[in-house]
Amino acid sequence: MTTVVKGEKVLEVKDLKTYFYTQEGELKAVDGLSYYVAKGESVGLVGESACGKSVSALSILRLIPYPPGIIVGGEIIFFGQDLLKATEEEMRHIRGNRIAMIFQEPTTSLNPVLTVRTQIAEALELHRGMEKEEATQECIRLLKLVGIPDADRRINHYPFQFSGGMQQRIMIAMALSCNPALLIADEPTTSVDVTVQAQLLEIIDDLRRRFGTSVIVITHNLGIVARYVDRVNVMYAGRMVETAPTEELYSNPLHPYTIGLLASVPRLDSERKKSLRVIKGLPPNLARLPSGCAFHPRCDYAMPKCREEYPPLEKIGENHFRACFAEISKLQKAQ
Amino acid sequence: MKDNHLIEIDQLFMYFPVTAGVLQRRVADVKAVDGISFYIKKGETLGLVGESGCGKTTTGRCILQLYEGMKGTVRFEGVELTKLKKEQMRRMRRNMQLIFQDPFASLDPRMTAGQIIGEPLKVHGLARGKEYKEQVAELFRMVELEPYMADRYPHEFSGGQRQRIGIARALAVRPKFVVCDEPVSALDVSIQAQIIILLEKLRDELGLTYLFIAHDLSVVRNISDRVAVMYLGRIVEITMADEIYANPLHPYTIALLSAVPIPDPKVDRTRKRIILKGDVPSPIFPPPGCRFNPRCYMASDICKQKQPELRELTPGSEHWVSCHMVK
């Protein structure tokens, strides 16, 4: 995975703020998020439910339902263009074409009343201007690429005739149909079986290496992304709490939340009877966020200062940033 | 039946009919559980692992006698459950409870948490009046919730808290045996660990016996004493937990283990990966011979013809495997 030559920044998210206005009040789902993805790079966006990881991805494609959601600030620079300033017409050319997305639930994201051919060919005809016959051939090629056997017959089948793993492959084929520069995979493996998870991640990684596509993988499981991403961004309550190159983050995590997440994943290579460590408490309710650092009620290292102000994201190593006041030496000792 | 066995299952079959046409003729069977036998010792946790559609949930429900039309025997403390009359079985159910996978679907949205947890006490006539209230409050504390939350409705709780309510409901009747059907797979990673630790604590305090069902070998690792791996309705390997992780023998178990990523890229990259081809076949038309043979990387001719039996490798080793290729 290090063999890819990393190029310029394909996507740069700057100080993104996406809020939802509901009966419960203002929910800051994403609150000042910044990161970038370089060409051919794969970036992981990790966090628990409601940390804002999916909302930030939907913001990139401007798919936030309005009302109640609205992008209140920030910039999303895609190849030099600020997507937040693009017209709806321009966005239509970008969605599914230059930025593609794989959704979490293949069963609900595929149209049940259209055949697979119709669904994939739609994008080919729309974005790549192909004729019907040409689109069909391309469709078969794509399905073969993602490992669907008997593709020339299977294109005439409906989604329900495929298993969950096969449906997720169709989603991947669809996402790749227009050679996107950026692929966003939102929990691509949560609804499929363990052995199929491995197959899907291999397919995505293989395509990234072959075509130099940039990839954002969104997940709540730090184990899943370890092998497949170059950099990990850890999110909590709408903000980035730590970001580092993958190896650095796993071997030297320096935010108490990252440390907790890593310790609560059951590991096959640890001593069996060693009990799991847990992060106490629950993810916060966005409508009633704690003051200061949102993680402080669950944090073992919380100090009075943490309740008062939000720690800024500060550089602590080569490409390694974190937002925490706790002393680094204390955190390292605890591991 | 051995004294220390709480549950013994012998040659269990559960086929669900597939019907067609206006006459609803039975045209085929979904062979969800296809001849399995195992036991669970008192106070032990047996992890049951396999992918979706392998029959692990059906197995759990068969033990609780929740289906009609199953074949085989299920013994609980020496009593054969399949022969019990309805009323006898109803009383027997007090001893065996179920924790469900989805804490969002398994709690009645119109009942308060207190009513949900207290209902089994009423149904089985275990407590009333002041005693009832005390017991419900005690159950709340047992699963580390506050008794004042009893008047809240399920939607006011988070996923992890709801799963705690489900656990308290199962434990209300003081069962001896609990089937935990993927109790953590719908939860966030940090909450999963909390629930697993709670289940371990309750098992040790109350002397419970668990059948812990999961689709992932890493989840059952900490909690299980023994682990059984299922594939398409049959058990392919069953042994002590330490043994299955240190010395897996069935090619499917090996592949399942290698599919679980380790959250450390340095370690993960050095592991050998086995990526299986294709999906799990349909349990309506399982492949002939060994059911795993179309996806197996070790299969030879005999695997396509003859179904392997589950055999103990060396007598007394308690390591059972069903594969022609394992010598």
Side-chain angles (χ1 to χ4, degrees):
Chain A
M1 77 185 215
T2 39
T3 53
V4 188
V5 182
K6 303 281 156 36
E8 82 273 37
K9 290 177 187 176
V10 169
L11 179 89
E12 193 168 9
V13 176
K14 287 184 188 165
D15 201 26
L16 178 71
K17 290 180 177 162
T18 308
Y19 295 175
F20 287 80
Y21 293 91
T22 68
Q23 286 179 339
E24 291 192 75
E26 184 186 63
L27 307 185
K28 296 177 176 174
V30 176
D31 196 19
L33 181 71
S34 306
Y35 66 93
Y36 70 90
V37 188
K39 184 167 166 41
E41 189 185 38
S42 160
V43 169
L45 223 50
V46 180
E48 293 172 280
S49 335
C51 74
K53 54 196 193 301
S54 294
V55 170
S56 78
L58 290 172
S59 302
I60 295 171
L61 288 171
R62 295 233 320 256
L63 289 174
I64 298 294
Y66 170 79
I70 185 163
I71 300 171
V72 296
E75 286 173 86
I76 294 173
I77 313 288
F78 179 66
F79 283 109
Q81 183 190 10
D82 186 355
L83 296 185
L84 297 182
K85 295 203 179 83
T87 62
E88 195 47 42
E89 180 63 27
E90 285 170 325
M91 280 312 290
R92 247 202 315 275
H93 285 289
I94 288 171
R95 281 186 207 125
N97 186 20
R98 307 203 41 220
I99 305 179
M101 185 150 175
I102 299 169
F103 294 92
Q104 191 173 141
E105 291 274 345
T107 15
T108 51
S109 328
L110 291 167
N111 188 332
V113 297
L114 298 178
T115 62
V116 168
R117 198 208 74 83
T118 319
Q119 296 188 52
I120 299 181
E122 185 186 11
L124 294 170
E125 287 164 20
L126 183 75
H127 291 306
R128 286 170 69 182
M130 286 186 178
E131 295 297 320
K132 199 173 171 206
E133 184 47 36
E134 195 188 359
T136 305
Q137 288 311 317
E138 178 66 9
C139 190
I140 294 172
R141 191 187 70 83
L142 285 164
L143 291 184
K144 281 186 182 153
L145 193 71
V146 294
I148 292 185
D150 208 5
D152 36 355
R153 198 172 57 85
R154 294 288 262 169
I155 55 164
N156 293 316
H157 285 184
Y158 291 88
F160 77 89
Q161 292 167 297
F162 293 85
S163 68
M166 286 292 166
Q167 290 181 356
Q168 197 57 288
R169 271 167 233 248
I170 294 168
M171 290 287 296
I172 297 175
M174 205 181 277
L176 292 170
S177 60
C178 297
N179 295 326
L182 175 66
L183 178 67
I184 304 173
D186 186 2
E187 305 260 9
T189 60
T190 4
S191 51
V192 294
D193 277 317
V194 206
T195 56
V196 181
Q197 280 180 5
Q199 295 173 1
L200 292 174
L201 290 167
E202 288 290 327
I203 291 172
I204 295 176
D205 201 49
D206 179 51
L207 296 167
R208 175 172 73 98
R209 258 176 289 185
R210 274 157 68 184
F211 304 116
T213 316
S214 307
V215 180
I216 299 177
V217 184
I218 299 173
T219 178
H220 66 113
N221 189 339
L222 273 169
I224 287 182
V225 291
R227 192 190 293 241
Y228 297 101
V229 299
D230 303 314
R231 205 145 40 81
V232 181
N233 299 325
V234 183
M235 288 182 69
Y236 190 79
R239 298 192 189 211
M240 179 104 81
V241 295
E242 185 163 9
T243 173
T246 309
E247 280 193 19
E248 166 78 5
L249 187 97
Y250 286 85
S251 59
N252 188 25
L254 290 173
H255 192 287
Y257 180 61
T258 317
I259 295 170
L261 267 189
L262 280 169
S264 54
V265 179
R267 288 179 65 147
L268 281 179
D269 63 338
S270 63
E271 202 183 314
R272 195 175 69 82
K273 279 292 164 191
K274 197 175 125 196
S275 62
L276 296 168
R277 279 194 292 165
V278 290
I279 307 178
K280 59 189 180 189
L282 301 167
N285 181 341
L286 288 177
R288 289 186 291 274
L289 273 188
S291 61
C293 171
F295 187 61
H296 85 254
R298 302 176 75 189
C299 182
D300 291 331
Y301 304 91
M303 303 173 277
K305 193 181 179 189
C306 304
R307 239 164 277 149
E308 284 147 26
E309 52 183 301
Y310 196 88
L313 204 60
E314 53 168 15
K315 186 169 180 170
I316 46 170
E318 182 71 24
N319 284 321
H320 192 164
F321 296 81
R322 65 155 197 174
C324 180
F325 292 126
E327 267 172 58
I328 289 176
S329 55
K330 259 192 202 163
L331 292 173
Q332 281 170 329
K333 216 181 293 168
Q335 285 171 57
Chain B
M1 178 149 184
K2 279 196 189 156
D3 279 350
N4 61 346
H5 290 185
L6 185 72
I7 300 228
E8 276 184 5
I9 291 163
D10 196 25
Q11 285 301 307
L12 187 73
F13 289 85
M14 182 67 222
Y15 290 3
F16 295 98
V18 179
T19 55
V22 270
L23 296 174
Q24 295 290 298
R25 266 183 317 125
R26 187 172 188 151
V27 290
D29 289 305
V30 176
K31 301 179 180 74
V33 173
D34 205 14
I36 62 172
S37 309
F38 63 84
Y39 60 85
I40 306 176
K41 290 184 211 154
K42 276 186 191 125
E44 175 184 65
T45 298
L46 177 70
L48 185 60
V49 178
E51 293 175 277
S52 38
C54 75
K56 53 194 191 300
T57 296
T58 309
T59 303
R61 296 188 175 194
C62 280
I63 297 177
L64 303 178
Q65 305 291 306
L66 295 175
Y67 293 120
E68 301 210 335
M70 47 173 269
K71 289 198 195 95
T73 57
V74 178
R75 281 192 215 93
F76 180 83
E77 294 189 313
V79 181
E80 195 175 325
L81 300 182
T82 39
K83 298 232 168 86
L84 291 183
K85 298 212 174 69
K86 252 197 173 143
E87 182 50 35
Q88 291 172 310
M89 189 58 221
R90 215 176 75 86
R91 261 174 282 146
M92 196 55 144
R93 282 227 168 83
R94 236 196 83 182
N95 295 315
M96 39 182 85
Q97 290 290 315
L98 180 59
I99 297 168
F100 295 91
Q101 170 173 9
D102 187 346
F104 296 87
S106 59
L107 303 178
D108 187 334
R110 289 179 195 82
M111 287 167 83
T112 64
Q115 287 169 336
I116 290 171
I117 292 175
E119 193 181 31
L121 294 172
K122 286 190 174 157
V123 169
H124 287 275
L126 293 176
R128 46 168 84 143
K130 201 177 152 214
E131 203 188 335
Y132 169 83
K133 278 196 177 138
E134 276 168 12
Q135 285 202 17
V136 171
E138 177 53 33
L139 285 161
F140 267 91
R141 276 189 288 268
M142 207 149 92
V143 295
E144 292 156 14
L145 291 174
E146 298 296 331
Y148 73 81
M149 296 171 173
D151 293 330
R152 293 190 190 168
Y153 287 89
H155 72 91
E156 296 174 76
F157 292 93
S158 69
Q161 289 174 321
R162 277 185 235 205
Q163 199 54 288
R164 288 170 195 267
I165 296 173
I167 294 171
R169 172 177 61 185
L171 298 182
V173 293
R174 278 161 275 151
K176 293 175 179 158
F177 173 63
V178 180
V179 175
C180 309
D181 190 359
E182 304 226 26
V184 299
S185 46
L187 306 173
D188 270 322
V189 182
S190 69
I191 309 297
Q192 286 187 2
Q194 290 180 357
I195 298 292
I196 291 178
I197 288 172
L198 175 69
L199 286 169
E200 282 178 327
K201 189 192 93 179
L202 292 169
R203 174 192 62 195
D204 298 344
E205 282 176 15
L206 306 172
L208 298 169
T209 302
Y210 287 153
L211 177 68
F212 195 101
I213 300 172
H215 62 251
D216 179 338
L217 273 164
S218 65
V219 171
V220 298
R221 186 159 178 266
N222 283 281
I223 199 169
S224 305
D225 299 300
R226 287 188 306 137
V227 175
V229 180
M230 268 185 97
Y231 188 78
L232 269 191
R234 295 183 64 104
I235 288 181
V236 296
E237 187 163 2
I238 179 167
T239 185
M240 308 315 237
D242 287 321
E243 175 79 359
I244 207 148
Y245 294 100
N247 185 23
L249 292 175
H250 197 282
Y252 181 62
T253 314
I254 295 170
L256 262 188
L257 279 168
S258 89
V260 178
I262 286 180
D264 182 343
K266 279 184 200 143
V267 180
D268 202 38
R269 222 167 283 141
T270 59
R271 291 164 78 220
K272 208 176 120 205
R273 284 215 109 178
I274 297 157
I275 303 229
L276 292 178
K277 292 169 285 186
D279 280 335
V280 185
S282 156
I284 302 178
F285 304 108
C290 170
R291 278 150 189 226
F292 186 56
N293 87 69
R295 297 176 82 194
C296 186
Y297 48 92
M298 280 166 64
S300 71
D301 283 343
I302 185 174
C303 305
K304 295 187 183 113
Q305 290 146 16
K306 196 163 161 266
Q307 187 156 296
E309 293 299 320
L310 193 65
R311 62 197 160 91
E312 195 170 14
L313 278 187
T314 45
S317 69
E318 294 222 33
H319 195 153
W320 297 71
V321 61
S322 155
C323 179
H324 293 303
M325 294 295 119
V326 175
K327 293 287 178 277

